[in-house]
Amino acid sequence: MTLQTHHSISSKPMFIVVMGVSGTGKSTLGQALATELGMPFLDGDSLHPKANIDKMSAGHPLTDTDRTPWLALIRSTVENMYTEQEHQPINTGFRPGVVVACSALKRAYRDVLRGDQSPGVTGSEKLPTYFVFLEGTKETLLARMQSRQGHFMKSGMLESQLEALESPRGEDGVVVVSVEDTPAYQLRAATTGLELFCQSNAYPDTLKVKKK
């Protein structure tokens, strides 16, 4: 498959979640993808309440009770950003929607982000949600986390995240990208997958863009 740039991607609104466990490079790819597509970027971690950050900084994994309000806040924040975009003048090179970096470890979490389980949001019909899943081995991710400085997520919590992870493979609207690939290839693979989704006008099955 020939990897394409973003220029042919539909201008329809998109909520793109770059997901995976800690250490996969979600923020790096998310920022690059947002720049490539002409969309704003939001790091989901920035919306964690202080209690969640303190808990993770102390090495304690978050529970579903901790995560659900945070995920609902991400979705509502994105909905509000999109509503503001609808009232702004059309800007060449700008694409409506938002790119968010978020772990989104479980199917239930992803459903909240899709708008399926969040009271007060408009749901997936108005702002369809796609996921770019950064996938890697435990050994690779641990090495990446151990080299990272100043982040509240400690490398010792990787095990709990991997145990909690429910792979999104088989879900609709998911592009799978390997952490082993270069940042440039990850970006091209993500944009190519999103392009295929836009062309389908539907939610195809999970897509893994392979090297040729």
Side-chain angles (χ1 to χ4, degrees):
M1 176 181 292
T2 301
L3 296 179
Q4 305 173 33
T5 62
H6 75 278
H7 299 292
S8 60
I9 291 180
S10 167
S11 61
K12 72 176 184 179
M14 302 175 73
F15 174 20
I16 302 169
V17 181
V18 181
M19 63 157 290
V21 299
S22 189
T24 52
K26 297 185 293 294
S27 294
T28 300
L29 178 57
Q31 289 172 329
L33 189 58
T35 299
E36 180 75 3
L37 299 180
M39 298 168 68
F41 171 76
L42 174 66
D43 192 330
D45 283 347
S46 68
L47 296 179
H48 269 301
K50 185 177 183 300
N52 283 7
I53 295 176
D54 290 345
K55 192 171 184 177
M56 289 185 286
S57 298
H60 303 302
L62 298 180
T63 65
D64 288 358
T65 301
D66 298 322
R67 289 183 181 276
T68 300
W70 166 63
L71 294 163
L73 177 59
I74 292 175
R75 178 73 197 195
S76 63
T77 298
V78 169
E79 290 279 355
N80 290 336
M81 292 174 68
Y82 173 59
T83 297
E84 292 179 2
Q85 292 170 2
E86 288 185 297
H87 294 91
Q88 294 174 354
I90 297 176
N91 182 8
T92 302
F94 174 81
R95 188 164 280 102
V98 184
V99 178
V100 170
C102 176
S103 53
L105 298 176
K106 296 183 180 182
R107 174 63 185 261
Y109 301 167
R110 295 187 288 274
D111 285 344
V112 174
L113 292 171
R114 289 181 175 105
D116 295 343
Q117 299 180 9
S118 301
V121 299
T122 59
S124 58
E125 293 81 6
K126 183 177 181 181
L127 187 60
T129 306
Y130 302 92
F131 291 85
V132 177
F133 175 39
L134 280 161
E135 188 175 51
T137 65
K138 177 181 176 180
E139 293 73 24
T140 298
L141 298 173
L142 183 60
R144 290 166 65 112
M145 290 187 69
Q146 289 174 338
S147 66
R148 186 169 61 174
Q149 301 294 323
H151 195 275
F152 58 76
M153 181 68 74
K154 307 304 180 185
S155 60
M157 294 183 64
L158 177 61
E159 188 73 38
S160 67
Q161 286 211 336
L162 289 171
E163 290 176 357
L165 176 65
E166 297 173 0
S167 174
R169 286 178 174 274
E171 296 177 18
D172 294 338
V174 177
V175 183
V176 180
V177 176
S178 173
V179 299
E180 304 285 351
D181 289 331
T182 64
Y185 188 88
Q186 289 177 350
L187 177 59
R188 293 197 301 272
T191 54
T192 297
L194 292 167
E195 162 69 9
L196 293 175
F197 290 159
C198 289
Q199 289 176 350
S200 72
N201 286 322
Y203 284 111
D205 292 336
T206 300
L207 174 66
K208 174 64 182 265
V209 179
K210 297 181 179 179
K211 292 182 177 178
K212 293 293 186 181

